[in-house]
Amino acid sequence: MDLLSSLNPQQREAVTSGDGPLLILAGAGSGKTRVIAHRIAYLIAERGVWPRNILAVTFTNKAAEEMRSRVSKLIETLEIGSTPLISTFHSLGVRILRREIETMNAGYTRSFTIYDQDDTVRLTRNIIRDLGMDDKQLTPRSVQAAISAAKNRGQDAESFAAQAHFVDERRASIARVFQLYEERLHQNNALDFDDLLIKTVRLLRDVPEVRERYNDRFRYLLVDEYQDTNQLQFGLIRLLTEKQQNICVVGDPDQSIYRWRGADITNILKFEEHFASARVIRLEENYRSTQNILDLAHGVIKHNVERKEKALWTQNPAGEKIRYYQALDAESEARFVAGKVQEHLRPDPDLRAAVLYRTNSQSRVFEEAMRRAGLAYNIVGGFSFYERMEVRDIIAYLKLAMNPHDSIALQRVVNTPPRGIGKVTLDEIDNRARELGISHWDAISDLLAEGRNVSPRAAAALANFQRIINRLGRLAAQVTSAETDDDDDEQGSGPTDRDDAETDYESTSPVSDLVKAAILDTGYENALKSENNDEAEGRLENLQELVNAAVDYDEQGADGLRDFIDHSALVADTDQYKADVPVTLMTAHSAKGLEFPLVFLVGLEDGLFPHSRSLSDASDIEEERRLAYVAMTRAERFLYITHAVKRRVYGEELASEPSQFLNEMPLELIDDLSRGRSWLSFARGSKSLEEAAGSLRYEYDEDYSSGSDSDEFPRRPAANKYGGKTYNSVDSVQEFFRRRDERFGSGHATRDQYQKSRPESARRNPAPNTLPATPSIVPGSYVRHSKYGRGLVLRREGSGDQTKVTVSFPGYGAKKLIEKYAGLEKD
DNA sequence: GAACTTGCTGAATTG
DNA sequence: CAGCAAGTTC
């Protein structure tokens, strides 16, 4: 059979293996995706399984897309009435919940809103403020991260709180935020990303009737990247396969890189315990990479202690050696990469290259280098289209059109573009909503009806806002009232069931028209147009793009708008990156599952890769190592590894040590392309002494280091930054006078000493260039202020009525005051 | 109320 | 360095 002819014996076995649990341990490049795609096709073509009884789950939209296209290619010749469902975990959750959530009787309706990261952080910020907590110490971001982590561990607000009290105050505070956070989500009929899984699991667990139905529906379940599933996903899988046990999972423990997100590697390690009589098939022949690339990657991954040894093999040739380059800094690293890409493209214009880095912030220099080299590139991740401010604003309007009580959306756009609703008015709305326990939308009506506490101007602006939203709401109602059959569980119910009259009534492009309305009627477009600069121009283009994206949903009838909004939340990375672009820039995480003939693994420095936040924990380091392994095994033919000797972090130059992973690589596989001496040349020279010496010391080439002093740059991860004192602190006030004295020849500290120890503050706190003009209030003297109390005068500038003095008040910091009005008294 | 300025603090990886 | 919040100015 020709479905199987292209497969090796193990792959064939994996594809044809019958019912029951099946674990496929598939090493990097062993044809994992192929096997799943073929297995799906085989189930349909050879075993007569109905496509709609098959569910394949992936982690990313990208992977789902890839799988869909492979499967459809394999079965395109078949006459089939349905298609298998290939979906991400989160989309699956949405799909099930949109239909079934009301059966839980938990107060949610099927028109729930999805809060993405941006929304949840906003919500968290509001809560922290409402609770009167200090959002300096508890940053919304970190609190939100803690909540998400807890939810992923399967904790709810109560159990988190129960643990928290004993630990510390910070956790107790987070617990309170957590509690309120959950309440508000519920109030707003909103789910965050984690809830998409949590609620689905709860639903399937608590409502037997629904569980049964989905067990019958999805008789064959396939899961990709199984090593990255967490407890929730595992629960979901369990519940969905309860009845038929037709579960096929594919994964590779060496590529488990999402432990930080709650992924539990024991899911794959204990698969055989979880599912009785499971079959295990290993795929260890690699089709992707050269032997040298595999050997290098294996050289690194074998350093992991918590690992079962396995060695990939390949029939591919040894290939080129791995190429290494030590760069002076991030810019020269990027220049090197761009240059090499050009070199490779000259003889081979179709070659695809990937630049893989540890953190998104590294992408910028590479972007610039590519642009300068005239190379077309695309970036995966980072700021995606749907995360752009203007796009999110318009989406917020759409959300409001469907549900004006969505307070998060309302707060986002109530005064965007500016329409005269200021802070005072917003606070008033906010307070009212909180006191009465109503939505912001209702609070506005309330406020207007009462007419108190709001200026006529603000009232007019609010009424205007109401009109805008009501109008959009009516449009949206037209879209959604065109009732279509939204249940694809019914076979063969085609669009012919639709009422013709209704079709006439309904506009032909309902979703995109609504998007246009949200751009025009809200004044958004006009506001951008009047800005009249390049940036606004770009934003307008993005909005045009958003309208284009909406067109895809016009055909879907009633669900189109809802789906479009869901899509905007769930499609996080720009999935549709064009394959015909020569260079792709992305994080090592995003590269999982992809392959490229030419790969650059960059920034191999201690504290960067492995990341500094992983250095203290052995199993975190192991995860970093697996990540490096994933990155290296993306390469088919050429692999470059680079690092820089210094790098800007927080705008400060820091010296970087080579990554420990470099030391773990078999050096004989590596060619050194660095100019002059490098880490590699040193490592080679001292290889024989290595064991005796214990530690590696090396020197940079003259070219790279202007002085002999190797401490010219502070080193990561010591993060040798000026210790957080501002010039408001007592220290720097003293510093100030030391400097001043020094200027006048009476200083204790020499200039050299000073600059060496405080280069930053020297720049931030320039010496005054005027001498005190009047004798009473001069720098160094103390004054008294009616509100701030006693303070130390720091500087004095200007003359006459314009004289300004800067005074440092304990507890209030430095204030700049007009002497004439400030009413300062000499203390 | 909104535009502008300044100072301060802080980033890992993702759906 | 950059994004954001508070402060300042018009």
Side-chain angles (χ1 to χ4, degrees):
Chain A
M1 147 86 212
D2 113 290
L3 247 185
L4 303 177
S5 59
S6 61
L7 303 173
N8 73 28
Q10 290 77 35
Q11 291 175 333
R12 199 169 304 172
E13 205 184 334
V15 166
T16 58
S17 174
D19 287 0
L22 172 65
L23 166 64
I24 303 171
L25 287 169
S30 63
K32 174 174 66 94
T33 313
R34 267 181 73 139
V35 165
I36 304 184
H38 277 77
R39 186 171 168 87
I40 293 172
Y42 185 84
L43 285 170
I44 296 169
E46 298 296 314
R47 311 244 332 264
V49 176
W50 241 16
R52 62 189 303 280
N53 287 143
I54 298 171
L55 167 66
V57 193
T58 63
F59 275 83
T60 65
N61 296 294
K62 213 185 316 169
E65 194 53 50
E66 167 81 11
M67 190 80 71
R68 262 190 292 258
S69 83
R70 288 214 197 188
V71 171
S72 68
K73 229 169 259 163
L74 288 172
I75 60 174
E76 66 190 348
T77 56
L78 298 175
E79 288 284 321
I80 50 170
S82 61
T83 48
L85 180 59
I86 300 171
S87 159
T88 65
F89 274 105
H90 289 86
S91 307
L92 177 69
V94 174
R95 191 189 175 89
I96 295 177
L97 292 172
R98 282 254 177 260
R99 254 170 236 182
E100 318 284 353
I101 195 164
E102 289 171 16
T103 63
M104 281 170 83
N105 287 322
Y108 284 98
T109 72
R110 52 193 293 172
S111 61
F112 60 82
T113 314
I114 301 168
Y115 279 3
D116 63 17
Q117 179 136 337
D118 193 80
D119 298 326
T120 54
V121 169
R122 276 162 186 270
L123 177 59
T124 309
R125 181 178 296 128
N126 289 346
I127 293 170
I128 291 174
R129 289 202 182 143
D130 290 352
L131 288 173
M133 292 173 177
D134 181 12
D135 62 0
K136 294 261 156 44
Q137 233 200 341
L138 289 172
T139 65
R141 255 184 90 87
S142 64
V143 173
Q144 159 55 28
I147 292 174
S148 177
K151 289 176 88 160
N152 269 304
R153 281 194 305 268
Q155 281 187 311
D156 58 14
E158 283 70 36
S159 66
F160 187 87
Q163 275 188 3
H165 290 304
F166 302 103
V167 190
D168 64 321
E169 211 173 309
R170 191 186 147 79
R171 267 184 77 96
S173 302
I174 293 175
R176 288 178 62 204
V177 179
F178 194 172
Q179 209 129 26
L180 203 51
Y181 173 88
E182 295 286 272
E183 276 170 32
R184 296 228 178 140
L185 279 177
H186 193 251
Q187 262 172 27
N188 295 338
N189 196 26
L191 302 177
D192 65 15
F193 278 142
D194 304 317
D195 284 335
L196 295 180
L197 298 179
I198 294 172
K199 303 295 183 200
T200 310
V201 168
R202 199 166 296 168
L203 168 80
L204 292 173
R205 196 189 57 202
D206 296 347
V207 189
E209 176 263 318
V210 172
R211 179 168 71 242
E212 183 114 347
R213 194 138 40 79
Y214 281 91
N215 268 266
D216 288 341
R217 162 78 200 259
F218 299 127
R219 288 207 276 261
Y220 290 84
L221 180 56
L222 300 96
V223 183
D224 192 15
E225 308 283 10
Y226 190 66
Q227 76 281 355
D228 284 328
T229 49
N230 63 23
Q231 282 314 312
L232 287 168
Q233 287 150 343
F234 176 69
L236 186 59
I237 291 164
R238 273 238 117 131
L239 289 162
L240 281 175
T241 58
E242 190 184 59
K243 210 164 161 184
Q244 82 289 343
Q245 298 276 305
N246 282 322
I247 168 77
C248 166
V249 305
V250 186
D252 176 5
D254 284 341
Q255 295 186 63
S256 157
I257 54 175
Y258 285 107
R259 200 177 75 121
W260 56 274
R261 214 170 69 187
D264 187 350
I265 199 168
T266 58
N267 283 347
I268 192 166
L269 298 180
K270 298 202 167 158
F271 183 82
E272 294 157 85
E273 288 172 38
H274 295 150
F275 296 93
S277 71
R279 246 185 114 181
V280 182
I281 295 172
R282 279 164 216 278
L283 306 178
E284 292 188 337
E285 178 174 2
N286 175 294
Y287 293 93
R288 179 186 296 154
S289 312
T290 65
Q291 188 67 53
N292 279 343
I293 292 169
L294 288 184
D295 287 348
L296 190 85
H298 182 252
V300 173
I301 195 70
K302 74 176 185 200
H303 285 80
N304 272 2
V305 179
E306 298 173 52
R307 169 176 187 267
K308 277 190 214 160
E309 171 60 21
K310 117 183 138 213
L312 294 178
W313 59 280
T314 185
Q315 299 179 40
N316 292 339
E320 304 280 326
K321 282 200 172 176
I322 281 55
R323 290 149 186 187
Y324 160 88
Y325 183 72
Q326 171 173 308
L328 171 62
D329 54 21
E331 285 73 24
S332 80
E333 182 183 43
R335 247 179 286 125
F336 170 81
V337 170
K340 284 297 165 192
V341 171
Q342 286 177 313
E343 258 177 53
H344 279 277
L345 285 179
R346 228 166 281 139
D348 193 355
D350 293 330
L351 201 70
R352 290 174 313 114
V355 180
L356 308 183
Y357 35 78
R358 179 65 236 270
T359 66
N360 278 309
S361 58
Q362 289 167 261
S363 68
R364 237 183 67 178
V365 269
F366 287 100
E367 267 193 84
E368 260 158 48
M370 296 302 151
R371 212 174 302 151
R372 215 162 281 166
L375 288 163
Y377 63 90
N378 57 52
I379 296 191
V380 177
F383 266 112
S384 88
F385 179 70
Y386 287 102
E387 280 168 313
R388 287 169 197 279
M389 180 176 63
E390 61 277 14
V391 172
R392 311 219 22 148
D393 286 344
I394 298 306
I395 299 279
Y397 275 116
L398 299 180
K399 285 180 167 178
L400 284 176
M402 293 197 74
N403 172 20
H405 299 289
D406 185 338
S407 294
I408 289 283
L410 187 142
Q411 284 176 300
R412 184 179 179 101
V413 293
V414 66
N415 197 35
T416 316
R419 48 173 75 88
I421 301 168
K423 192 173 174 345
V424 180
T425 315
L426 288 179
D427 282 349
E428 187 59 33
I429 297 170
D430 216 38
N431 286 335
R432 186 160 300 235
R434 193 140 19 94
E435 276 163 25
L436 303 177
I438 56 178
S439 69
H440 283 60
W441 177 251
D442 285 341
I444 290 174
S445 316
D446 213 47
L447 210 57
L448 287 179
E450 235 176 83
R452 276 191 301 120
N453 294 332
V454 56
S455 69
R457 241 171 79 145
L462 285 175
N464 181 33
F465 177 72
Q466 283 184 321
R467 266 196 301 282
I468 290 170
I469 299 302
N470 281 330
R471 202 173 331 132
L472 283 178
R474 277 197 298 279
L475 260 171
Q478 280 177 30
V479 175
T480 49
S481 69
E483 207 40 72
T484 53
D485 191 351
D486 66 352
D487 190 353
D488 72 353
D489 278 285
E490 274 177 52
Q491 273 290 301
S493 74
T496 45
D497 296 355
R498 283 251 295 284
D499 191 338
D500 278 350
E502 221 170 25
T503 315
D504 282 347
Y505 168 72
E506 181 193 334
S507 135
T508 51
S509 47
V511 183
S512 56
D513 280 351
L514 186 63
V515 176
K516 276 185 212 152
I519 295 169
L520 284 169
D521 298 356
T522 56
Y524 210 95
E525 185 174 77
N526 280 334
L528 281 177
K529 276 189 176 153
S530 64
E531 272 188 47
N532 204 18
N533 57 34
D534 286 356
E535 199 196 329
E537 195 63 38
R539 292 182 194 280
L540 283 168
E541 279 167 26
N542 286 333
L543 292 182
Q544 186 51 53
E545 199 51 47
L546 185 68
V547 175
N548 293 340
V551 172
D552 289 345
Y553 292 81
D554 285 340
E555 307 288 298
Q556 288 188 30
D559 280 339
L561 180 57
R562 187 81 262 170
D563 283 354
F564 179 61
I565 294 172
D566 284 353
H567 171 84
S568 77
L570 293 173
V571 180
D573 50 20
T574 25
D575 300 306
Q576 54 274 56
Y577 71 99
K578 296 139 262 158
D580 52 345
V581 170
V583 188
T584 302
L585 311 179
M586 64 184 140
T587 63
H589 282 91
S590 314
K592 193 170 70 158
L594 303 178
E595 56 190 14
F596 298 85
L598 172 57
V599 167
F600 296 85
L601 176 53
V602 303
L604 281 168
E605 293 145 42
D606 245 29
L608 186 60
F609 201 166
H611 195 270
S612 55
R613 303 261 272 249
S614 302
L615 291 176
S616 54
D617 183 299
S619 48
D620 283 347
I621 290 271
E622 298 215 342
E623 177 146 317
E624 295 281 317
R625 200 175 274 116
R626 289 193 292 270
L627 182 59
Y629 177 79
V630 168
M632 291 183 279
T633 52
R634 298 309 97 196
E636 294 170 12
R637 289 162 57 199
F638 305 103
L639 174 61
Y640 286 80
I641 48 180
T642 68
H643 67 110
V645 166
K646 61 178 181 175
R647 184 177 292 275
R648 285 186 108 74
V649 179
Y650 285 147
E652 219 182 341
E653 300 244 278
L654 296 184
S656 307
E657 298 287 346
S659 167
Q660 63 185 91
F661 299 154
L662 284 169
N663 279 320
E664 295 168 359
M665 294 174 182
L667 301 185
E668 65 279 6
L669 297 177
I670 306 176
D671 263 353
D672 193 349
L673 304 187
S674 313
R675 300 187 307 137
R677 293 201 60 189
S678 64
W679 157 81
L680 182 60
S681 57
F682 184 85
R684 281 221 171 94
S686 68
K687 183 119 213 237
S688 47
L689 306 169
E690 198 176 273
E691 291 79 13
S695 72
L696 282 181
R697 284 280 305 162
Y698 63 92
E699 287 162 24
Y700 299 125
D701 179 64
E702 294 275 302
D703 275 9
Y704 295 133
S705 167
S706 48
S708 56
D709 182 4
S710 62
D711 285 324
E712 182 184 5
F713 304 103
R715 287 164 187 281
R716 203 187 358 235
N720 203 349
K721 204 176 159 186
Y722 175 50
K725 286 182 187 127
T726 71
Y727 65 78
N728 292 337
S729 69
V730 174
D731 259 30
S732 45
V733 171
Q734 285 171 352
E735 194 72 61
F736 177 91
F737 288 109
R738 193 151 64 223
R739 278 176 56 83
R740 192 195 59 158
D741 290 346
E742 168 197 316
R743 269 199 142 205
F744 300 123
S746 62
H748 332 283
T750 71
R751 194 162 183 274
D752 270 8
Q753 280 171 324
Y754 177 72
Q755 290 216 328
K756 192 152 196 163
S757 60
R758 316 300 265 293
E760 274 305 301
S761 70
R763 250 179 287 133
R764 286 187 190 163
N765 187 16
N769 44 22
T770 51
L771 284 171
T774 52
S776 60
I777 296 176
V778 294
S781 64
Y782 284 91
V783 293
R784 191 158 280 285
H785 184 272
S786 55
K787 184 172 167 201
Y788 303 124
R790 187 167 182 268
L792 175 60
V793 180
L794 294 181
R795 60 191 293 197
R796 178 190 180 87
E797 56 204 331
S799 60
D801 287 357
Q802 298 305 305
T803 306
K804 294 175 190 128
V805 290
T806 308
V807 187
S808 172
F809 296 101
Y812 296 95
K815 301 278 174 202
K816 199 177 202 176
L817 307 160
I818 310 268
E819 189 177 36
K820 194 179 160 202
Y821 302 117
L824 296 174
E825 285 169 44
K826 190 134 172 61
D827 188 84

